Coordinates of all heavy atoms in Angstrom, one line a residue:
M1 N -102.1 341.6 -76.5 CA -102.3 340.7 -77.6 C -101.0 340.0 -77.9 O -101.0 338.8 -78.2 CB -102.9 341.4 -78.8 CG -103.3 340.5 -79.9 SD -104.6 339.4 -79.4 CE -105.0 338.7 -80.9
I2 N -100.0 340.8 -78.0 CA -98.7 340.2 -78.3 C -98.2 339.3 -77.2 O -97.6 338.2 -77.5 CB -97.6 341.3 -78.7 CG1 -98.0 342.0 -79.9 CG2 -96.3 340.8 -78.7 CD1 -97.1 342.9 -80.5
L3 N -98.5 339.7 -76.0 CA -98.1 338.8 -74.8 C -98.8 337.5 -74.9 O -98.2 336.4 -74.6 CB -98.4 339.5 -73.5 CG -97.5 340.7 -73.2 CD1 -97.9 341.3 -71.9 CD2 -96.1 340.2 -73.1
L4 N -100.1 337.5 -75.3 CA -100.9 336.3 -75.5 C -100.3 335.4 -76.5 O -100.1 334.1 -76.3 CB -102.3 336.6 -75.7 CG -103.3 335.4 -75.9 CD1 -103.4 334.7 -74.6 CD2 -104.6 335.8 -76.3
L5 N -99.9 335.9 -77.7 CA -99.3 335.2 -78.7 C -98.0 334.6 -78.3 O -97.7 333.5 -78.6 CB -99.2 336.0 -80.0 CG -100.5 336.3 -80.7 CD1 -100.2 337.3 -81.9 CD2 -101.2 335.1 -81.1
A6 N -97.2 335.4 -77.6 CA -95.9 334.9 -77.1 C -96.1 333.8 -76.1 O -95.3 332.8 -76.1 CB -95.1 336.1 -76.5
A7 N -97.1 333.9 -75.2 CA -97.3 332.9 -74.3 C -97.7 331.5 -75.0 O -97.3 330.4 -74.7 CB -98.4 333.3 -73.3
V8 N -98.6 331.7 -75.9 CA -99.1 330.4 -76.7 C -97.9 329.9 -77.4 O -97.7 328.6 -77.5 CB -100.2 330.8 -77.7 CG1 -100.5 329.7 -78.7 CG2 -101.4 331.2 -76.9
G9 N -97.1 330.7 -78.0 CA -95.9 330.2 -78.7 C -94.9 329.5 -77.8 O -94.3 328.5 -78.1
A10 N -94.7 330.1 -76.7 CA -93.7 329.5 -75.7 C -94.2 328.2 -75.2 O -93.5 327.3 -75.0 CB -93.5 330.5 -74.5
I11 N -95.5 328.1 -74.9 CA -96.1 326.9 -74.4 C -96.0 325.8 -75.5 O -95.7 324.6 -75.2 CB -97.6 327.1 -74.0 CG1 -97.6 327.9 -72.7 CG2 -98.3 325.8 -73.8 CD1 -99.0 328.3 -72.3
T12 N -96.3 326.2 -76.8 CA -96.2 325.2 -77.8 C -94.8 324.7 -78.0 O -94.6 323.5 -78.2 CB -96.6 325.9 -79.2 OG1 -98.0 326.4 -79.0 CG2 -96.6 324.9 -80.3
I13 N -93.8 325.6 -77.9 CA -92.4 325.2 -78.1 C -92.0 324.3 -76.9 O -91.3 323.3 -77.1 CB -91.5 326.4 -78.2 CG1 -91.7 327.0 -79.5 CG2 -90.0 326.0 -78.0 CD1 -91.0 328.4 -79.7
A14 N -92.4 324.6 -75.7 CA -92.1 323.9 -74.5 C -92.7 322.4 -74.6 O -92.1 321.4 -74.3 CB -92.6 324.5 -73.2
V15 N -93.9 322.4 -75.1 CA -94.6 321.0 -75.2 C -93.9 320.2 -76.2 O -93.6 319.0 -76.0 CB -96.0 321.2 -75.5 CG1 -96.7 319.9 -75.9 CG2 -96.9 321.7 -74.4
L16 N -93.5 320.8 -77.4 CA -92.8 320.1 -78.4 C -91.5 319.6 -77.9 O -91.1 318.4 -78.3 CB -92.7 320.9 -79.7 CG -94.0 321.2 -80.4 CD1 -93.7 322.2 -81.6 CD2 -94.6 319.9 -81.0
L17 N -90.7 320.5 -77.3 CA -89.4 320.0 -76.7 C -89.6 318.9 -75.7 O -88.8 318.0 -75.7 CB -88.7 321.2 -76.1 CG -88.1 322.2 -77.1 CD1 -87.5 323.4 -76.4 CD2 -87.0 321.6 -78.0
W18 N -90.6 319.1 -74.8 CA -90.8 318.0 -73.8 C -91.1 316.7 -74.4 O -90.6 315.6 -74.0 CB -91.9 318.5 -72.9 CG -92.2 317.4 -71.8 CD1 -91.5 317.1 -70.7 CD2 -93.4 316.6 -71.8 NE1 -92.1 316.1 -70.0 CE2 -93.3 315.7 -70.7 CE3 -94.5 316.4 -72.7 CZ2 -94.2 314.8 -70.4 CZ3 -95.4 315.5 -72.4 CH2 -95.3 314.7 -71.2
R19 N -91.9 316.7 -75.5 CA -92.4 315.4 -76.2 C -91.1 314.9 -76.9 O -91.0 313.6 -77.0 CB -93.5 315.7 -77.2 CG -94.7 316.2 -76.5 CD -95.9 315.3 -76.5 NE -96.0 314.4 -77.6 CZ -96.8 313.4 -77.6 NH1 -97.6 313.2 -76.6 NH2 -96.9 312.6 -78.6
A20 N -90.3 315.7 -77.5 CA -89.2 315.2 -78.3 C -88.0 314.7 -77.3 O -87.4 313.7 -77.7 CB -88.7 316.3 -79.2
L21 N -87.7 315.4 -76.3 CA -86.5 315.1 -75.5 C -86.8 314.5 -74.2 O -86.0 313.7 -73.7 CB -85.8 316.4 -75.3 CG -85.3 317.1 -76.6 CD1 -84.6 318.4 -76.2 CD2 -84.4 316.2 -77.4
G22 N -87.9 314.9 -73.5 CA -88.0 314.5 -72.1 C -89.0 313.4 -71.8 O -88.9 312.6 -70.9
A23 N -90.0 313.2 -72.6 CA -91.0 312.3 -72.4 C -90.6 310.8 -72.7 O -90.2 310.6 -73.8 CB -92.3 312.6 -73.1
Q24 N -90.5 310.0 -71.7 CA -90.3 308.6 -71.9 C -91.5 307.9 -72.4 O -92.5 307.9 -71.7 CB -89.7 307.9 -70.7 CG -88.4 308.5 -70.2 CD -87.2 308.3 -71.2 OE1 -87.2 307.3 -71.9 NE2 -86.4 309.2 -71.3
R25 N -91.5 307.3 -73.5 CA -92.7 306.6 -74.1 C -92.7 305.2 -73.4 O -91.8 304.5 -73.3 CB -92.6 306.5 -75.5 CG -92.5 307.8 -76.2 CD -92.9 307.8 -77.6 NE -92.7 309.1 -78.2 CZ -93.6 309.8 -78.6 NH1 -94.9 309.4 -78.5 NH2 -93.4 311.1 -79.1
I26 N -93.9 304.9 -72.9 CA -94.2 303.6 -72.4 C -94.7 302.7 -73.4 O -95.7 302.9 -74.1 CB -95.3 303.7 -71.2 CG1 -94.8 304.7 -70.2 CG2 -95.6 302.4 -70.7 CD1 -95.8 305.0 -69.1
S27 N -93.9 301.7 -73.7 CA -94.3 300.7 -74.8 C -95.3 299.6 -74.2 O -95.1 299.2 -73.2 CB -93.0 300.1 -75.4 OG -92.4 299.3 -74.4
V28 N -96.2 299.4 -75.0 CA -97.2 298.3 -74.7 C -96.5 297.0 -75.0 O -96.1 296.8 -76.2 CB -98.5 298.5 -75.4 CG1 -99.5 297.4 -75.2 CG2 -99.1 299.9 -75.1
P29 N -96.6 296.0 -74.1 CA -96.0 294.7 -74.5 C -96.7 294.1 -75.7 O -97.9 294.1 -75.8 CB -96.2 293.8 -73.2 CG -97.0 294.6 -72.3 CD -97.2 296.0 -72.8
Q30 N -95.9 293.5 -76.5 CA -96.5 292.8 -77.7 C -97.2 291.6 -77.4 O -96.7 290.7 -76.7 CB -95.4 292.5 -78.8 CG -94.7 293.7 -79.2 CD -95.6 294.7 -80.1 OE1 -96.5 294.2 -80.8 NE2 -95.4 296.0 -80.0
R31 N -98.5 291.5 -77.8 CA -99.2 290.3 -77.5 C -99.1 289.3 -78.8 O -98.9 289.7 -79.9 CB -100.7 290.6 -77.4 CG -101.0 291.4 -76.1 CD -102.4 291.4 -75.7 NE -103.2 292.0 -76.9 CZ -104.6 292.0 -76.8 NH1 -105.2 291.6 -75.8 NH2 -105.2 292.4 -77.9
R32 N -99.2 288.1 -78.4 CA -99.2 287.0 -79.5 C -100.4 287.2 -80.4 O -101.5 287.3 -79.9 CB -99.1 285.7 -78.9 CG -98.8 284.5 -79.8 CD -98.7 283.3 -79.1 NE -100.0 282.8 -79.0 CZ -100.4 281.6 -78.6 NH1 -99.4 280.8 -78.1 NH2 -101.6 281.2 -78.4
P33 N -100.2 287.2 -81.7 CA -101.4 287.3 -82.5 C -102.3 286.2 -82.4 O -101.9 285.0 -82.1 CB -100.8 287.4 -84.0 CG -99.4 286.8 -83.8 CD -98.9 287.0 -82.4
A34 N -103.6 286.4 -82.5 CA -104.6 285.3 -82.5 C -104.4 284.4 -83.5 O -104.1 284.7 -84.7 CB -106.0 285.9 -82.4
I35 N -104.6 283.1 -83.2 CA -104.5 282.0 -84.2 C -105.8 281.4 -84.4 O -106.5 281.1 -83.5 CB -103.5 280.9 -83.7 CG1 -102.1 281.5 -83.4 CG2 -103.4 279.7 -84.6 CD1 -101.1 280.5 -82.8
A36 N -106.2 281.3 -85.7 CA -107.4 280.6 -86.0 C -107.4 279.2 -85.5 O -106.3 278.5 -85.5 CB -107.7 280.7 -87.5
P37 N -108.5 278.6 -85.2 CA -108.5 277.2 -84.6 C -108.0 276.2 -85.6 O -107.3 275.3 -85.2 CB -110.0 277.0 -84.4 CG -110.7 278.3 -84.2 CD -109.9 279.2 -85.0
D38 N -108.2 276.4 -86.9 CA -107.6 275.5 -87.9 C -106.1 275.6 -88.1 O -105.5 274.8 -88.8 CB -108.4 275.5 -89.2 CG -108.3 276.9 -89.8 OD1 -107.9 277.9 -89.1 OD2 -108.6 277.1 -91.0
D39 N -105.5 276.6 -87.5 CA -104.1 276.8 -87.6 C -103.4 276.5 -86.3 O -102.2 276.6 -86.2 CB -103.7 278.3 -88.1 CG -104.1 278.5 -89.5 OD1 -104.3 277.5 -90.2 OD2 -104.3 279.7 -89.8
D40 N -104.2 276.3 -85.3 CA -103.6 276.1 -83.9 C -103.3 274.7 -83.7 O -104.1 273.8 -83.6 CB -104.6 276.6 -82.9 CG -104.1 276.6 -81.5 OD1 -102.8 276.3 -81.3 OD2 -104.8 276.8 -80.5
P41 N -102.0 274.3 -83.6 CA -101.6 272.9 -83.4 C -102.2 272.2 -82.1 O -102.6 271.1 -82.2 CB -100.1 272.9 -83.3 CG -99.7 274.3 -83.6 CD -100.8 275.1 -83.7
E42 N -102.3 273.1 -81.1 CA -102.9 272.5 -79.8 C -104.4 272.2 -80.0 O -104.8 271.1 -79.6 CB -102.7 273.6 -78.7 CG -103.2 273.1 -77.4 CD -102.3 272.0 -76.8 OE1 -101.1 271.9 -77.2 OE2 -102.7 271.3 -75.9
F43 N -105.1 273.0 -80.7 CA -106.5 272.7 -80.9 C -106.7 271.5 -81.8 O -107.5 270.6 -81.6 CB -107.2 274.0 -81.6 CG -108.6 273.7 -82.1 CD1 -109.6 273.8 -81.2 CD2 -108.9 273.4 -83.4 CE1 -110.9 273.5 -81.6 CE2 -110.1 273.2 -83.8 CZ -111.2 273.2 -82.9
L44 N -105.8 271.4 -82.8 CA -105.9 270.3 -83.7 C -105.6 268.9 -83.0 O -106.2 267.9 -83.2 CB -105.1 270.4 -84.9 CG -105.4 271.6 -85.9 CD1 -104.4 271.8 -86.9 CD2 -106.8 271.4 -86.5
R45 N -104.6 269.0 -82.1 CA -104.3 267.8 -81.3 C -105.4 267.4 -80.4 O -105.8 266.2 -80.4 CB -103.0 268.1 -80.5 CG -102.5 266.9 -79.8 CD -101.3 267.2 -78.8 NE -101.7 268.2 -77.8 CZ -102.4 268.0 -76.7 NH1 -102.8 266.7 -76.5 NH2 -102.6 268.9 -75.9
K46 N -106.0 268.3 -79.7 CA -107.2 268.0 -78.9 C -108.3 267.4 -79.7 O -109.0 266.5 -79.3 CB -107.6 269.3 -78.1 CG -106.6 269.7 -77.0 CD -107.2 270.9 -76.3 CE -106.2 271.4 -75.3 NZ -106.7 272.6 -74.6
L47 N -108.6 268.0 -80.9 CA -109.6 267.5 -81.7 C -109.4 266.1 -82.2 O -110.3 265.3 -82.1 CB -109.8 268.5 -82.9 CG -111.0 268.2 -83.8 CD1 -112.3 268.4 -83.0 CD2 -110.9 269.2 -85.0
S48 N -108.1 265.8 -82.5 CA -107.8 264.5 -83.0 C -108.0 263.5 -81.9 O -108.5 262.4 -82.0 CB -106.3 264.5 -83.4 OG -106.0 263.2 -83.9
E49 N -107.6 263.8 -80.7 CA -107.7 262.9 -79.5 C -109.2 262.6 -79.2 O -109.6 261.6 -78.8 CB -107.0 263.6 -78.2 CG -105.5 263.5 -78.3 CD -104.9 264.2 -77.1 OE1 -105.7 264.7 -76.2 OE2 -103.7 264.3 -77.0
Q50 N -110.0 263.7 -79.3 CA -111.4 263.5 -79.1 C -112.1 262.6 -80.1 O -112.9 261.8 -79.8 CB -112.2 264.9 -79.1 CG -111.9 265.8 -77.9 CD -112.6 267.2 -78.0 OE1 -113.1 267.5 -79.0 NE2 -112.4 267.9 -77.0
Q51 N -111.6 262.7 -81.3 CA -112.2 261.8 -82.3 C -111.7 260.4 -82.1 O -112.5 259.5 -82.4 CB -111.8 262.3 -83.7 CG -112.5 263.6 -84.1 CD -112.0 264.1 -85.5 OE1 -111.1 263.7 -86.0 NE2 -112.8 265.0 -86.1
R52 N -110.6 260.2 -81.6 CA -110.1 258.8 -81.4 C -110.8 258.2 -80.2 O -111.1 257.0 -80.2 CB -108.6 258.8 -81.1 CG -107.8 258.8 -82.4 CD -106.3 258.5 -82.0 NE -105.6 259.8 -82.5 CZ -104.7 260.5 -81.7 NH1 -104.4 260.0 -80.6 NH2 -104.1 261.5 -82.2
K53 N -111.2 259.0 -79.2 CA -111.9 258.5 -78.0 C -113.3 258.2 -78.3 O -113.9 257.3 -77.7 CB -111.7 259.5 -76.8 CG -110.3 259.5 -76.3 CD -110.3 260.6 -75.2 CE -108.8 260.7 -74.7 NZ -108.8 261.7 -73.6
R54 N -113.9 259.0 -79.2 CA -115.4 258.8 -79.5 C -115.6 257.5 -80.2 O -115.0 257.3 -81.2 CB -115.9 260.0 -80.3 CG -117.3 260.0 -80.5 CD -117.8 261.1 -81.4 NE -117.3 262.4 -80.8 CZ -117.1 263.5 -81.4 NH1 -117.3 263.5 -82.7 NH2 -116.7 264.6 -80.8
P55 N -116.6 256.7 -79.7 CA -116.9 255.5 -80.4 C -117.6 255.8 -81.8 O -118.4 256.8 -81.8 CB -117.8 254.7 -79.5 CG -118.3 255.8 -78.5 CD -117.3 256.9 -78.5
T56 N -117.4 255.0 -82.8 CA -118.1 255.3 -84.1 C -119.4 254.6 -84.0 O -119.5 253.4 -84.1 CB -117.2 254.7 -85.2 OG1 -117.0 253.3 -84.9 CG2 -115.9 255.5 -85.3
D57 N -120.5 255.4 -83.8 CA -121.9 254.9 -83.9 C -122.5 255.1 -85.2 O -123.7 254.9 -85.3 CB -122.6 255.6 -82.8 CG -122.2 255.2 -81.4 OD1 -121.6 254.1 -81.2 OD2 -122.4 256.0 -80.4
E58 N -121.8 255.6 -86.2 CA -122.4 255.8 -87.5 C -122.5 254.5 -88.3 O -121.6 253.9 -88.6 CB -121.5 256.8 -88.2 CG -121.4 258.2 -87.6 CD -120.4 259.1 -88.3 OE1 -120.1 258.8 -89.5 OE2 -119.9 260.0 -87.7
T59 N -123.8 254.2 -88.6 CA -124.0 253.1 -89.4 C -124.9 253.5 -90.6 O -125.7 254.3 -90.5 CB -124.8 252.0 -88.6 OG1 -126.0 252.5 -88.1 CG2 -124.0 251.4 -87.5
D60 N -124.5 252.9 -91.8 CA -125.4 253.2 -93.0 C -126.6 252.3 -93.0 O -126.5 251.1 -93.1 CB -124.5 253.0 -94.2 CG -123.4 253.9 -94.3 OD1 -123.6 255.1 -93.8 OD2 -122.3 253.6 -94.9
G61 N -127.7 253.0 -93.0 CA -129.0 252.5 -93.3 C -129.7 251.4 -92.7 O -130.4 250.6 -92.9

């Protein structure tokens, strides 16, 4: 029983030391945060161009 507890303790200490000293953490590249369409200058520019190209067929009554 004491050997089992010693083995568990040794494995726990080994894992903690490995995580603290030996394991190189792989960082995930930072992605650009999503931009809402009404805040995206490219989207607003395209929308403006589409409105300028579209003929105005709206007539009142």
